[in-house]
Amino acid sequence: MSEPGAPYVAIQIPMMPKDTNRHGTIFGGVLLSYIDLAGAITAQRELQLRGGNPKASFVTVALNRVEFKRPVLVGDVVRFETSVVKVGRTSMTVHIEVFAERGADTSHVTSAEGVFVGVDLSTPERKPVELFPAG
């Protein structure tokens, strides 16, 4: 099991020309989608490492305070480091730090906090489910 709050590299991916906006930098929406994915991957991983409810699949409830500090360019390798900051009855809060590596330089691009709720996708209601057995 991972140490509480220990950083985890959920995704590391090179940015491609298809990801650019009209300014020639990486479109913020592309980074937001990876932030969302990195948080969900981390929540699912934590659930599995702790032996949680196998019926729980995570959906995004919120991505909080995303402020882009530096541009990301084509060819940058972007790393999404995550840590679980809170585990609730049906949800997990994950902190995501985003770094762009350009050659020998690494810069902090942004950070966010995502809230992910476990739902049972096998039911039409997709209601929240308990992540861990009570007790």
Side-chain angles (χ1 to χ4, degrees), residues 39-41 43-45 47-48 52-61 90-92 115-123 126-131:
I41 286 170
Q44 197 69 48
R45 175 181 182 264
L47 182 78
Q48 291 170 349
N53 186 346
K55 290 187 177 185
S57 293
F58 287 96
V59 297
T60 308
V61 172
T90 62
S91 68
M92 267 190 225
V115 180
F116 302 89
V117 170
V119 297
D120 184 350
L121 295 178
S122 69
T123 65
R126 297 186 173 189
K127 288 185 178 176
V129 296
E130 286 195 17
L131 300 179

Side-chain angles (χ1 to χ4, degrees), residues 3-135:
E3 223 178 281
Y8 168 67
V9 177
I11 303 172
Q12 187 165 316
I13 188 161
M15 294 293 106
M16 305 300 282
K18 68 177 178 54
D19 300 324
T20 58
N21 59 27
R22 64 185 217 135
H23 308 291
T25 58
I26 301 304
F27 181 58
V30 169
L31 296 173
L32 283 172
S33 70
Y34 285 126
I35 288 168
D36 188 15
L37 183 59
I41 286 170
T42 301
Q44 197 69 48
R45 175 181 182 264
E46 191 71 17
L47 182 78
Q48 291 170 349
L49 288 174
R50 292 186 183 196
N53 186 346
K55 290 187 177 185
S57 293
F58 287 96
V59 297
T60 308
V61 172
L63 289 177
N64 300 318
R65 188 74 181 146
V66 181
E67 181 179 326
F68 297 105
K69 299 175 182 180
R70 304 248 187 285
V72 177
L73 306 177
V74 170
D76 287 355
V77 176
V78 180
R79 184 176 72 244
F80 298 81
E81 291 184 10
T82 61
S83 56
V84 175
V85 293
K86 181 181 174 193
V87 177
R89 190 176 65 81
T90 62
S91 68
M92 267 190 225
T93 302
V94 179
H95 184 78
I96 303 108
E97 294 283 347
V98 183
F99 299 92
E101 297 175 0
R102 189 174 306 143
D105 295 327
T106 298
S107 62
H108 183 254
V109 175
T110 190
S111 56
E113 213 167 74
V115 180
F116 302 89
V117 170
V119 297
D120 184 350
L121 295 178
S122 69
T123 65
E125 302 85 22
R126 297 186 173 189
K127 288 185 178 176
V129 296
E130 286 195 17
L131 300 179
F132 301 98

